[in-house]
Amino acid sequence: NDTIIFVGEDNLHYEKFANGSVKCIENEIPFELPEGWTWCNLSMIGQTNIGLTYKPTDKSTSGIMVLRSSNIVDGQIDLQDLVRVDCQIRENQYVQENDILICVRNGSKALVGKCAVIPDLHEQASFGAFMAVYRTVFYRYIYYFLNSDFFREVFADGNSTAINQLTQDMIRKAVVPFPPISEQARICDALDKILYLVTQINTNKNVCADLITIAKSKILALAISGQLVPQDPADEPASVLLERIRAEKEELIKQGKLKRDKKESVIFRGEDNSYYEKIDEKVSEYDIDELPYGWSIGSFSQVNMFISETVDPSNSTDEMFELYSVPNFDVGVPEIIIGKEIGSSKQSVCENDVLVCKINPRINRVWIAGHITSYRILGSSEWIVFRNNMLFAPYLRHYFSSPHFRKLMLSNVSGVGGSLMRAQPESVKKYPVLIPPYQEQIRIAERIDELFALLVAIEKSLM
């Protein structure tokens, strides 16, 4: 059933079919080739075979290895995830060194067509039913051709979206711009060198990206230990600030705006300069390293003045809201959305509230609520809201993003597993918040932003 492409005496391209008929295909030729090149089908320069179908009961630890889609990793054969079978295998279902293994069917459209050249495996091997093997002496050049966008157009639909299957017929009929053998060698040598350099660059970029992530964590760790900026003896001590926060909370409780939590964790420094924690009437020693000069400490709930209020958007179907949802964190701006399009009740939040994500793996997401519209502000129930206008919100955002606080958040999560694991708000209430003097909070946040901006600039330069 193979066809042959040739150039006629009139210098036009023709295709000769197995039944002897000939068709002019000049209008189907994609582009003009350099001198010495020619167009051909893959069937003219090699052969293709389909893979082995085996039953689960055929699997054997000592059988013949069967190469599958998972054994093609980054264009190379990887034998980590290997299946072996003990069953009848036809001669054309064994692979040979320099065969090109092609994935012809996969649940992921993007993986259809991925391929690799088979090296010397030092033992017999077959290949699975969702795979094909293309065998040709021109394997180096054809391997690069199969990885080209030009070839992928063979099995793409009108929207340029890869279909889930690449048939043997599609492989055989694929039209190849075929250069002289000596030029093939030069092309492949050049591509080998270029792609090696690209791989090295990508590896170095990944290393740099990892180092940048580590650097950000180190910066935050230094910041919350008082080592990022120097302490200023002229700053008002955080203990005075903490006392004002305590007095303000008492006033809110007195006014009935805030409920007293009898089980609230209250961290304080005793007359012996040691730290203690009081929950209800029980007082116990609190283990903490010596704080930097002028710093103080309080539990999350001790310094949080958030007044919980639930809003049901279904009661305000035509009202517009400014919604801080977890998915929109990466976008950087809240959703501007009408009430009837919000599917569940939300939290009422205010400008400068600090939103700490409680759902894994996004626990490191911390957002400061702004107010970019005149609409009411809502927050997803996946946020734990922290409110205290006596503390500098940008400092709190960095503190709650620090490896120290993230470790605390991850220390007590529950759920069915994976992305449904959540930090427990009752546990978070007891976590410590390290509080520098207010002016130092500003200096710390500004210094972190300055250093992070440099790291972001480096990241962009790597793209």
Side-chain angles (χ1 to χ4, degrees), residues 230-254:
Q231 281 73 53
D232 186 346
D235 288 341
E236 178 187 72
S239 58
V240 178
L241 177 59
L242 198 58
E243 180 57 31
R244 282 204 298 273
I245 292 171
R246 186 199 66 79
E248 177 68 19
K249 284 196 72 172
E250 286 297 322
E251 182 61 28
L252 290 173
I253 292 171
K254 183 178 178 181

Side-chain angles (χ1 to χ4, degrees), residues 318-324 334-337 348-351 370-378:
D318 295 325
E319 182 180 352
M320 297 297 295
F321 293 95
E322 193 172 315
L323 174 62
Y324 282 80
E335 296 180 62
I336 308 302
I337 187 169
S348 175
V349 298
C350 297
E351 188 174 0
H371 207 176
I372 60 176
T373 68
S374 59
Y375 309 138
R376 277 198 288 171
I377 312 176
L378 301 180

Side-chain angles (χ1 to χ4, degrees), residues 320-334:
M320 297 297 295
F321 293 95
E322 193 172 315
L323 174 62
Y324 282 80
S325 62
V326 173
N328 260 54
F329 177 86
D330 289 332
V331 180
V333 292

Side-chain angles (χ1 to χ4, degrees), residues 213-225:
T213 300
I214 293 171
K216 288 181 177 180
S217 293
K218 293 293 185 183
I219 290 168
L220 292 173
L222 290 172
I224 67 166
S225 62

Side-chain angles (χ1 to χ4, degrees), residues 53 133 140 144 168 304 311 338 349 362 373 380 436:
T53 300
V133 154
R140 288 183 70 203
Y144 281 125
Q168 281 203 92
N304 190 4
V311 175
I338 194 166
V349 298
R362 301 178 179 88
T373 68
S380 163

Side-chain angles (χ1 to χ4, degrees), residues 137-247:
V137 295
F138 311 109
Y139 63 91
R140 288 183 70 203
Y141 176 75
I142 297 303
Y143 167 75
Y144 281 125
F145 168 74
L146 294 176
N147 279 285
S148 68
D149 289 340
F150 179 78
F151 173 69
R152 294 196 70 83
E153 292 175 2
V154 169
F155 54 100
D157 61 20
N159 296 320
S160 297
T161 303
I163 61 175
N164 287 62
Q165 181 172 293
L166 177 61
T167 66
Q168 281 203 92
D169 193 52
M170 293 164 72
I171 295 173
R172 285 195 291 258
K173 290 182 178 179
V175 179
V176 184
F178 196 69
I181 295 176
S182 59
E183 190 165 349
Q184 288 183 36
R186 293 195 299 272
I187 289 171
C188 293
D189 288 345
L191 286 173
D192 288 345
K193 292 177 182 177
I194 292 169
L195 294 179
Y196 173 78
L197 291 174
V198 169
T199 300
Q200 292 299 105
I201 290 169
N202 286 332
T203 299
N204 290 335
K205 284 170 63 176
N206 292 335
V207 170
C208 287
D210 291 342
L211 290 174
I212 288 170
T213 300
I214 293 171
K216 288 181 177 180
S217 293
K218 293 293 185 183
I219 290 168
L220 292 173
L222 290 172
I224 67 166
S225 62
Q227 300 179 62
L228 190 64
V229 299
Q231 281 73 53
D232 186 346
D235 288 341
E236 178 187 72
S239 58
V240 178
L241 177 59
L242 198 58
E243 180 57 31
R244 282 204 298 273
I245 292 171
R246 186 199 66 79

Side-chain angles (χ1 to χ4, degrees), residues 4-142:
I4 297 174
I5 296 175
F6 66 95
V7 178
E9 293 180 357
D10 54 2
N11 233 13
L12 298 179
H13 288 83
Y14 292 86
E15 185 171 13
K16 183 178 180 180
F17 299 93
N19 62 6
S21 63
V22 177
K23 173 188 174 184
C24 180
I25 59 169
E26 188 65 29
N27 293 334
E28 300 174 24
I29 297 300
F31 50 82
E32 187 176 344
L33 293 176
E35 185 177 349
W37 291 47
T38 189
W39 289 102
C40 68
N41 297 121
L42 281 176
S43 63
M44 294 170 62
I45 55 173
Q47 63 185 54
T48 180
N49 291 309
I50 58 173
L52 171 71
T53 300
Y54 56 89
K55 301 187 293 290
T57 54
D58 292 332
K59 292 183 180 180
S60 168
T61 55
S62 59
I64 299 294
M65 69 167 71
V66 178
L67 301 177
R68 301 170 298 154
S69 176
S70 59
N71 297 119
I72 301 177
V73 178
D74 296 330
Q76 304 289 327
I77 296 296
D78 186 319
L79 302 180
Q80 294 297 313
D81 180 20
L82 197 60
V83 165
R84 292 180 178 272
V85 299
D86 186 3
C87 63
Q88 186 174 0
I89 302 175
R90 298 195 308 270
E91 185 61 34
N92 65 355
Q93 290 176 327
Y94 286 104
V95 299
Q96 297 179 11
E97 184 179 0
N98 297 328
D99 281 352
I100 303 174
L101 182 67
I102 309 169
C103 175
V104 296
R105 187 182 299 177
N106 197 290
S108 171
K109 294 180 180 180
L111 298 180
V112 175
K114 71 172 182 173
C115 60
V117 176
I118 296 177
D120 182 2
L121 298 175
H122 306 292
E123 63 174 286
Q124 278 191 314
S126 183
F127 55 104
F130 289 174
M131 311 298 291
V133 154
Y134 182 76
R135 185 170 297 161
T136 177
V137 295
F138 311 109
Y139 63 91
R140 288 183 70 203
Y141 176 75
I142 297 303

